[in-house]
Amino acid sequence: MKTKVQQILSKLNTPDITFADVRITKTDQEQIYFQNGFLRNFGSSLDSYALGIRVLINGCWGFAGTRNLSDNSIDKTVKLAKDNAIHGSKFIQKPVTFMPIEPTLADEVFLPKLNPFKMDNEEKLSYLKRIAEKIKPDGKIVHSYVYGVFFHQEKVYGNTEGTLTSQSFYNTLPVMSVIASDGNHIQTRTWPGHMSAGRGGFELFEENKFEENTDRIIKEAGDLLSAPRIEDDRADLIIGGGHLALQLHESVGHATEADRIFGMEISYAGKTFIKPQMIGSLKYGSDIVNVYSDSTNPDGMGFHPVDDEGVPGQKVDIIKDGILINQQTSRDIAQRLGLNPGSNMKASFGDDIPLVRMTNLCLAPQKGSLDELIANTDRGYYVDFTKTWSIDDNRNNFQFTTEIGWKIVNGKITGIVKEPTYFGITTEFWNSCDWICGPEEWKHHGTFHCGKGEPGQAMQLSHGVAPARFKNTVVKVKV
Amino acid sequence: MQSEELKHLIDRLTKHPEWKYHIVYTDWQTDFFRFYQSQTNYNISKTVSTLDVTIYKEKKSFSFNIDQPTITRIDSALENTISAIDTLPEDPDFVDVENDLSKNTEKVKQNNILNISLDKKIEILADISKESEKLGYRLFGTFICNYQHTQIINSNGLDKEEWNSPIYFEVKAVHKENQVTVLETYGGENWESFIKEDFISHLSLKMQSALNERIDVEPGEYDVILAPRCIAEYMQYLSYGLSARSYDQKSSYFQDKLGQQVFPEYITITDDPTDKDIISVDYNNDGHIYNPLSVIDKGVFKSFFCNNYYSFKTGLPKNGNNGSCLILKEGKETLDSMITSVKKGLYISSLHYMNFINERETSVTGLTRDGTFLIEDGKITKVVNNLRFTEKIARIFEHISVLENKSYTIPFSENYEFFGISSAKAPHVLVKNFNITSSTKTI
């Protein structure tokens, strides 16, 4: 793949092209889906190659992608990318420019503890079947599934500045879910929650303790059918790590993608409430809120030696002591904002354009365990396991519902509530954060399904968080 | 894929008489023009050829997907299948692959990627831009042409082909000063139906309306006029509960409601690929012919969307529908008379980021965007900040009191992992007591 990238780059080192980059990805995917105790789908897509060529001509980007890597197809793709830039440049007011950077040469290989593509099928299937049979419909449980998606990608990136890198990694999405019904209503419980994906292989099922939690989700789903809803207007909320990762993702992660400031994603993903003049002064959160973008941590799915336009991986503070101080950027956008590029340009596959993306976007830990936090809460709710999420076009007004909540009175859990729903305005909410648990509770949570871009791309990325408390949150929402 | 590869695959599959198989071969291209601030953002060209194969041995199945298939890659995938399939657990609910051999008239469509060049797109956009600049707006959006050829083959003798070349043109005009946004779209397969002057005229009208004073409104229940795009999107979300899969999972709002009056008698919904304004669909993924289907007839629930697998599993009648061509029948009132009838209410142009809270109850939350307006004493008077609603979709349909006497084709881009273009058709509707739960304080 490296040789092919170099060969293509040699065709793009011409005076008319200001900058060009080339990516080839080779992807293996496998998915196993048990429904109601039975194998419903076992499928794979192996050795899938994708090529993308991006050129900057006359201040305008042109891109072409293909999954056909024959010489003839590559020549055609080079021509298409150049034509797209040349014709597109007829409708340009502000040309794309950015500063050159030193080339990077790097090769990174990550190997999982249990490689799902090398394990015996029988070993994988017997493990998942055992889980599936434990949660199959019985009593109040009317539907269940166990799902595993295994992903391996090799990527070579090169550009006309001399950068040439390769990366090989494995990610896994493990999840199980049950639906309980009383004939008229349904409630769901999922494990380990909506943000269950991570860097690694089949070992993620063991690490997430699937077998130990089947009885728990069956009982909780059944109990939720007759559980009360929250009656308070406002309450102190402790948000568990799995759901807090999504809260961070939606109300900080996407809001600080700087391409949104310039409207590049308006028609699908939306804008942001952040304006350039807010950087360096906006009180985004309370003093204990520190958020950083870290593509140097190999434990997260956002790790890379360089991003998809040649910027070396780095750790960048986005919110420091509650103040917004930086953005997630591309080279072009960073220059427009007077910032350094943050290594945030990522494309899902070789034939996708790179977009400003979260990598490993993390909330720094403070101190204390979750038990201590609950014990120090007089009255409130501990909520986790995402059910519904929604946030507005400017990433300002959000509303989330989790599958389950636990009522806290005088530092003790006293019962469960169903579908706890809360609403907030982004900066008010993060400024109400008065407790973030410590490193012992901090871990990466992740998704395979962060949708952005047109044509659409689903990105795999991670968030490191520990449970946190938010004071006086609106929990009265009429449904 | 050249016929040589497909022939090779079928030759190898037929050497295993104990196997059943289902093949979908897709050749897909897109020419995707993204623009922002009235200038080019990216021009993207992509081509993908994909072969999806599922092989069944009695009640065991294995699936593989090959991009850019070659004989060597097909052989490798088949060897993998042979070594795996006997080791797999059974799915007791699988009975057979699709056996509907009926065909639509094959329509080889012109490739709109070739029909509408990038230069042509830019020329149209430059003309729209000139008009929007006069009112202080900049343009953002996409101008997309796709071309797709699909072939579906299975071991029951099914062999069908389908061509599509949808166009999706979306322009968001954003005011330079106050960021108020309005939206105009065009979608379809017949480029000759695009009339630039009409497009500019509609967009200009919206841009002018959006120059009024901007205000906020309190949470509460409002009479709202939903633009066709909004009610079409609610209709698409409602179709989750119309699927036999959700019925099987006991998650459907329509669970025990077949034949029952679920909405007012003036609500009629069909799933009709033959409507001349709809982006047509010939077959579902199994290859079953996609015929017009009555879903809600005069308020009575008539049919689930039910494919081959779920028909065997649930006993529901099989069809080829999946809600890709939904049409809400128009009513009798003009839009003007609908607006005039509202003492105080809202006009909502478009929705954003809607998600289910509880599928069985059809409860959702989401937001308005691209133009929300206040109606006072029968007139649109002010621009309103984007608002959050928390509602039950079934309740919205129950509370429709008036439907416009004219329908509009609404293109939708299906943009999650795979990019596709579909359409729906709906009139404006007046909904009573629509539940606004908060303001975003932004536009």
Side-chain angles (χ1 to χ4, degrees), chain B residues 222-285:
Chain B
Y222 289 82
D223 290 350
V224 298
I225 292 179
L226 295 175
R229 167 167 290 275
C230 304
I231 195 65
E233 195 168 341
Y234 285 126
M235 196 162 55
Q236 289 183 329
Y237 271 68
L238 194 67
S239 72
Y240 168 85
L242 293 168
S243 73
R245 180 189 169 99
S246 71
Y247 171 85
D248 179 54
Q249 294 178 4
K250 312 286 189 288
S251 303
S252 169
Y253 171 76
F254 299 99
Q255 203 67 35
D256 301 308
K257 294 187 170 74
L258 262 174
Q260 290 183 23
Q261 187 86 30
V262 290
F263 299 139
E265 62 186 14
Y266 43 83
I267 301 294
T268 290
I269 299 173
T270 53
D271 187 28
D272 185 358
T274 64
D275 187 284
K276 66 179 175 49
D277 299 321
I278 286 280
I279 293 171
S280 67
V281 180
D282 289 340
Y283 307 106
N284 73 359
N285 292 337

Side-chain angles (χ1 to χ4, degrees), chain A residues 7 45 87-88 141 148 151 177 188 222 231 245 268 283 293 306 318 326 387 401 420 434:
Chain A
Q7 284 170 350
S45 168
H87 289 271
I141 301 302
F151 186 91
S177 183
T188 57
E231 294 292 332
Y268 174 56
K283 190 80 168 69
S293 167
V306 296
I318 304 292
N326 212 323
K387 188 165 192 182
T401 301
D434 75 333

Side-chain angles (χ1 to χ4, degrees), chain B residues 379-395:
Chain B
K379 289 186 180 137
I380 290 178
T381 54
K382 299 182 178 79
V383 179
V384 178
N385 281 331
N386 292 332
L387 303 169
R388 173 173 295 286
F389 56 86
T390 306
E391 260 293 1
K392 290 178 178 162
I393 297 176
R395 186 175 173 272

Side-chain angles (χ1 to χ4, degrees), chain A residues 232-235 237 421-424 471-477:
Chain A
D232 311 67
D233 289 343
R234 286 175 174 267
L237 279 191
T421 298
Y422 67 96
F423 145 78
K471 301 288 282 183
N472 205 29
T473 305
V474 177
V475 288
K476 183 81 170 178
V477 178

Side-chain angles (χ1 to χ4, degrees), chain A residues 135 141 176 178 189-191 209-224 382 384-385 404 406:
Chain A
I135 59 172
I141 301 302
M176 64 177 171
V178 295
R189 276 295 287 115
T190 303
W191 186 267
K209 298 184 169 54
F210 271 61
E211 289 196 277
E212 295 90 323
N213 283 285
T214 52
D215 290 346
R216 172 184 169 170
I217 61 170
I218 289 168
K219 180 175 186 323
E220 287 179 349
D223 290 350
L224 282 168
Y382 168 46
D384 206 351
F385 305 102
I404 189 166
W406 289 267

Side-chain angles (χ1 to χ4, degrees), chain A residues 393-413:
Chain A
D393 201 27
N394 285 295
R395 300 278 150 179
N396 198 41
N397 170 316
F398 58 80
Q399 184 171 306
F400 291 97
T401 301
T402 60
E403 290 178 341
I404 189 166
W406 289 267
K407 188 170 185 176
I408 301 167
V409 178
N410 296 328
K412 290 196 167 55
I413 285 173

